[in-house]
Amino acid sequence: MGPVARALRLTRWGMVWEQAARAFWPLATVLALVFAAFALGVVAAVPGPVLPWLAGTVLLLLIGVAIRGGMRFRRVRMADAVDRLDRTLPGRPLAALSDRAAIGGEGALWQAHLAQMQARAVLAQAVRPDAELARRDPFALRLAGLVALVMALVFGGLGQVGQGIEALAATVSRPVTADAVATGPSWEGWAEPPAYTRRPTIYLNALAEGQVLELPKGSAVTFRLYGNGVAVTQDIGPAAGDDPQAPGFRAEQSGAIEVAGRRFDVTVLPDNAPVIRAGAAPVRRADGRMVQDFEAEDDHGIASGQAVIALDLPAVDRRFGLAIDPEPRPSVELALPLPRGDHHQVKGQLTEDLSRHPWANLPVSVSLRALDGIEQVGEAEPMHTILPGRRFFNPLAAALIEMRRDLLWSRENAGRSAEILRAVTWQPEGFVEQPLYLQLRGAVTLLEGGTLTDKARDDLAEALWQAAVQLEDGGLSDALERMRQAQQKLSEAIRNGASPDEIQRLMDELKEATDAYTQMLAEQGQQDPAERFAKNQQGQQITGDQIQQMMDEIQRLMNEGRMAEAQELLEQFNRMMENLQVRQGQGGEGQQGSGGNQPMNRLADTLREQQRLSDEAFRDMQDQFGQGRMGQPSPNAEGLADQQRRLREELGQQQGLLPGQGSEGGDQARRQLDQAGRAMEDAERALREGDTGGALQRQADAIESMREGMRALGDMLNQQQGQQGQQGQQAQEGQRPGGGERAGAEGQAYDRRPALDPLGRQRDGSGNIIAGGDPLAEGVDPARRARDLLDEIRRRSGQAERPDAERDYLGRLLDRF
């Protein structure tokens, strides 16, 4: 029977493998270890006198395990295979088929019995072999040999195998006398290159006569002398030890080494100092971060890099609060992020937020330097520039930041700062809100109370910073006032020649304020909101698309550098928005499906609650400051922490109800909300510990992450609506004559639109990145978003404290994108 014969063959071969594995696994293990020793250079590194003994021991071991395996191996007979296969079948049909009936062999009962056994035999399957090596090898020696073999195949080389064979052959071929066995070699020597070169140690005794020894500069050469009268002479570098029996020295120049009649010609490979070059002057991003490009190279690889920032005092405009001499401050030292992998040529970016440093927006000198493995230093020419920092366009916020800078410059400015604060807080009605007024009056009392300690000065500087950020970023409840503030700050930035990143940030802020204002009008259902400003003026009727077109036009003018025209159009836009009447037609903005509106509305409520909670924490810090209790636990801290916990739990519940699971936009929104939840948890912990300043910072991070998550969710919902609208249009055209052809052509054109890579950059059909991008595109510029993502990836890849797996992943991202 064919199936039975095939099963018997496979079972028998499996039993043969079992016998071979049980008998010869020690031999295979020893052979694997011997091969690994040759391939990994272990044999070549063994001292000459020891090598023959070691080789003899290994040879005896091989012979022993081979004889043991031969004695234990048993030939597998076909009857053994039949018996094993038969035991796996019910009723042992193979044995039954070979039986002979003593009586009634031709009867119907016997024939039925044979037919039944034959039917069972046809179902035979080969028996899986099992050598039971785990029981026979309880110490897993076979696995150690397998691991050594794999490492030899991956990391070893044929060159090292050849060196091991040559060393073994030279040792075996050398005549062994009684004196040689008794005394051994008269000397041994090793040359160890510096670790950063990643070169192996060289055993000098194994080198052939006349072979030139090439060593990197700084290599350590050591000897061990055994005989009397043996000496070492060399001219390659200074000595590194005083022991006459173990002389050592460091290779610094080419020359020769002589020992016991042997001469080694040494060529010292020079180790050049690293070279580092700075890119353009540091760039200020919209959020105030400093970005500095740099390039570095070294013949053996860069070990570390550093940026040193020092105040350029001669270039400082010594007026007002800067007229007096500054208090001494150490230079700012920042580690340059080095990507993983090859460091022979490095390109990177240093990204750091120095907005709160006392030297922010002041002249500084930036010096870059790189170190190699032997601590040679390469320095770039110092750059004299303005230290990038956040800029404030709100006049009161800018004044508070200037007073903060003066106090950090020197505490002798305390009196002058108190006078300015008194002037700022004079007649505060309609200009300074009550909580901020109380805080500033408390600051005046502190400044006029005597000499400031370091802690009091730093606490005051932190309070002024938080107040300025609060004024700059808003938190206004009235959407119209917020829109006016955003327009004024953008106008101020255009007049002051702000950077493109800053203008883009303020433009995004204006868009957000405008969207909030139009949504408020739509929700209130006002028919003529212009009556709030001009009772006799007829209100304008525009759609959300027209609002977006006008803002896109402002964006285009700014991108083209036509700032005067952009300023004029911006003022017209502001006047128009004050007389706005939103018209919602079919397919207009704000008509998202109920599945998208409800999560967005709940997230918006949570965002407002987080902003309100942040305002309460800020007011609590103001009260502490006004009462002189900065850094002490607040009575309201526990209540604020409980509110923060409830808000975090509510956000976690909302994450499970978000639409778009599995889509890019939905996943991005969930990631941002996860970050917001972690920031809320850190803020809660800081509140319970009495660190109100730290809690404010983490609450600001949570607000920003929630905004990014809502933007991603909104983009996803808009994209889904656009696809639904396109499908509906194609379906309508398909019902007209020729509509199917037009729909197919439009579908092909839609499929040929540029795709986005994971960093948000556009790619063509071949996968190439499309330079630039549409400056009038709605939402965040993909090029800027990609640049920010790359900056963050480079920063994280240069942090040595991160896990190796994460840094490897970040390195692969940098290589790919």
Side-chain angles (χ1 to χ4, degrees), residues 376-671:
Q376 296 184 111
V377 180
E379 295 187 1
E381 288 293 330
M383 293 184 301
H384 298 277
T385 184
I386 301 297
L387 181 62
R390 178 171 179 176
R391 299 176 64 182
F392 292 80
F393 300 100
N394 182 285
L396 181 55
L400 295 180
I401 290 299
E402 183 176 352
M403 282 183 284
R404 175 183 180 274
R405 181 203 64 187
D406 293 346
L407 287 174
L408 294 175
W409 179 269
S410 175
R411 276 169 283 193
E412 295 182 11
N413 285 321
R416 177 179 180 275
S417 299
E419 293 177 358
I420 296 176
L421 285 177
R422 284 187 176 277
V424 168
T425 56
W426 183 66
Q427 293 184 351
E429 292 79 8
F431 178 63
V432 181
E433 294 183 359
Q434 183 69 14
L436 180 59
Y437 170 77
L438 296 176
Q439 180 196 14
L440 297 181
R441 296 302 298 180
V444 171
T445 303
L446 182 61
L447 291 172
E448 295 178 346
T451 304
L452 289 175
T453 63
D454 291 345
K455 185 178 185 308
R457 178 200 60 190
D458 295 340
D459 290 344
L460 178 57
E462 176 64 20
L464 291 175
W465 175 270
Q466 294 292 345
V469 171
Q470 187 77 2
L471 288 170
E472 181 74 11
D473 292 343
L476 302 175
S477 59
D478 184 74
L480 176 60
E481 185 63 24
R482 180 185 174 195
M483 187 182 65
R484 285 176 173 174
Q485 293 284 345
Q487 187 269 340
Q488 291 174 4
K489 286 194 290 185
L490 180 58
S491 300
E492 186 71 18
I494 293 175
R495 286 193 296 268
N496 293 340
S499 67
D501 278 349
E502 291 171 331
I503 291 179
Q504 182 63 46
R505 177 176 66 87
L506 295 176
M507 188 67 187
D508 293 341
E509 183 179 338
L510 177 59
K511 288 181 179 180
E512 293 179 6
T514 303
D515 292 342
Y517 178 56
T518 55
Q519 183 179 1
M520 180 196 69
L521 292 178
E523 292 176 353
Q524 292 179 354
Q526 297 183 16
Q527 297 299 322
D528 192 4
E531 296 180 356
R532 296 175 56 187
F533 312 106
K535 294 183 179 180
N536 297 327
Q537 183 177 358
Q538 183 179 0
Q540 294 176 308
Q541 287 189 345
I542 59 174
T543 64
D545 290 338
Q546 292 171 337
I547 295 175
Q548 186 62 47
Q549 290 174 4
M550 193 167 186
M551 298 194 74
D552 289 345
E553 181 66 17
I554 296 173
Q555 180 80 62
R556 184 183 67 83
L557 293 175
M558 289 191 298
N559 291 337
E560 294 177 356
R562 299 158 65 180
M563 295 300 178
E565 299 179 35
Q567 175 72 18
E568 182 179 356
L569 186 58
L570 183 60
E571 294 176 356
Q572 295 178 6
F573 173 78
N574 190 44
R575 290 193 298 269
M576 178 194 71
M577 291 301 297
E578 291 181 349
N579 298 280
L580 173 66
Q581 183 176 9
V582 177
R583 181 182 64 200
Q584 294 183 335
Q586 293 181 354
E589 294 182 358
Q591 294 182 355
Q592 298 174 348
S594 60
N597 264 339
Q598 186 174 3
M600 288 291 288
N601 292 337
R602 294 187 63 184
L603 285 176
D605 293 339
T606 305
L607 178 59
R608 283 192 292 269
E609 285 297 318
Q610 181 61 67
Q611 291 172 335
R612 180 193 60 77
L613 183 59
S614 180
D615 293 341
E616 290 185 8
F618 180 63
R619 285 193 294 269
D620 187 66
M621 188 179 70
Q622 289 176 332
D623 295 340
Q624 294 182 52
F625 181 78
Q627 300 173 9
R629 296 186 294 104
M630 288 296 294
Q632 301 178 6
S634 167
N636 300 329
E638 284 298 326
L640 295 175
D642 292 339
Q643 295 182 44
Q644 185 67 78
R645 176 181 56 79
R646 288 193 294 269
L647 199 60
R648 173 172 58 85
E649 293 174 352
E650 183 179 352
L651 179 63
Q653 296 174 358
Q654 294 176 17
Q655 287 181 251
L657 303 177
L658 291 182
Q661 185 173 5
S663 64
E664 181 180 358
D667 292 343
Q668 181 181 358
R670 286 175 172 82
R671 287 193 297 270

Side-chain angles (χ1 to χ4, degrees), residues 321-370:
L322 306 179
I324 60 178
D325 293 334
E327 296 180 1
R329 284 186 178 273
S331 300
V332 179
E333 298 182 356
L334 304 173
L336 297 179
L338 301 179
R340 294 183 62 85
D342 187 15
H343 287 177
H344 288 79
Q345 291 185 343
V346 174
K347 291 184 178 180
Q349 278 188 339
L350 172 63
T351 304
E352 193 70 25
D353 186 2
L354 298 176
S355 298
R356 300 192 182 193
H357 196 274
W359 298 340
N361 298 315
L362 291 179
V364 295
S365 63
V366 181
S367 302
L368 302 182
R369 60 186 181 187

Side-chain angles (χ1 to χ4, degrees), residues 768-788:
N768 300 319
I769 297 176
I770 302 176
D774 186 2
L776 305 182
E778 181 178 358
V780 180
D781 182 15
R784 189 182 69 175
R785 180 174 178 270
R787 183 179 59 193
D788 292 340

Side-chain angles (χ1 to χ4, degrees), residues 171-373:
T171 304
V172 174
S173 62
R174 185 182 304 131
V176 181
T177 63
D179 294 338
V181 172
T183 60
S186 59
W187 63 273
E188 288 184 289
W190 300 267
E192 183 179 1
Y196 69 91
T197 63
R198 296 179 176 86
R199 292 195 176 196
T201 300
I202 301 175
Y203 183 57
L204 300 183
N205 299 66
L207 295 180
E209 292 287 345
Q211 182 177 350
V212 178
L213 181 60
E214 293 185 349
L215 298 175
K217 185 178 180 180
S219 298
V221 182
T222 57
F223 285 88
R224 174 67 64 180
L225 306 179
Y226 303 115
N228 295 328
V230 180
V232 178
T233 60
Q234 55 86 24
D235 58 356
I236 66 172
D242 299 332
D243 188 355
Q245 295 301 119
F249 42 88
R250 188 171 298 278
E252 298 292 343
Q253 59 188 10
S254 300
I257 304 174
E258 293 186 3
V259 54
R262 287 199 62 180
R263 175 186 173 90
F264 299 93
D265 292 323
V266 180
T267 300
V268 174
L269 305 177
D271 189 346
N272 300 321
V275 177
I276 186 169
R277 295 176 295 275
V283 177
R284 174 176 52 226
R285 292 289 170 82
D287 56 0
R289 289 185 299 170
M290 178 191 75
V291 178
Q292 173 64 60
D293 296 328
F294 67 91
E295 297 180 2
E297 59 184 24
D298 186 69
D299 46 4
H300 291 295
I302 301 295
S304 62
Q306 195 176 46
V308 180
I309 302 175
L311 179 66
D312 189 4
L313 192 58
V316 176
D317 186 6
R318 305 294 297 275
R319 296 187 301 167
F320 308 117
L322 306 179
I324 60 178
D325 293 334
E327 296 180 1
R329 284 186 178 273
S331 300
V332 179
E333 298 182 356
L334 304 173
L336 297 179
L338 301 179
R340 294 183 62 85
D342 187 15
H343 287 177
H344 288 79
Q345 291 185 343
V346 174
K347 291 184 178 180
Q349 278 188 339
L350 172 63
T351 304
E352 193 70 25
D353 186 2
L354 298 176
S355 298
R356 300 192 182 193
H357 196 274
W359 298 340
N361 298 315
L362 291 179
V364 295
S365 63
V366 181
S367 302
L368 302 182
R369 60 186 181 187
L371 282 75
D372 63 5

Side-chain angles (χ1 to χ4, degrees), residues 712-773:
L713 185 60
D715 293 342
M716 182 204 67
L717 294 175
N718 291 334
Q719 183 179 4
Q720 291 178 352
Q721 289 181 354
Q723 293 175 355
Q724 293 174 359
Q726 183 181 10
Q727 293 174 359
Q729 182 179 0
Q730 292 177 355
Q732 292 177 2
E733 292 183 354
Q735 297 174 359
R736 305 189 190 117
E741 297 178 359
R742 288 195 298 271
E746 291 176 359
Q748 294 175 2
Y750 177 81
D751 292 340
R752 290 193 297 268
R753 291 185 302 176
L756 299 180
D757 72 355
L759 296 183
R761 300 173 294 189
Q762 289 185 346
R763 293 181 180 270
D764 57 16
S766 302
N768 300 319
I769 297 176
I770 302 176

Side-chain angles (χ1 to χ4, degrees), residues 34 41 58 94 114 248 315 324 482 492 496 510 668 699 711 746 783 791-792 811:
V34 170
V58 173
L94 298 182
L114 293 180
I324 60 178
R482 180 185 174 195
E492 186 71 18
N496 293 340
L510 177 59
Q668 181 181 358
Q699 287 174 340
R711 291 193 189 102
E746 291 176 359
D791 291 344
E792 183 65 16

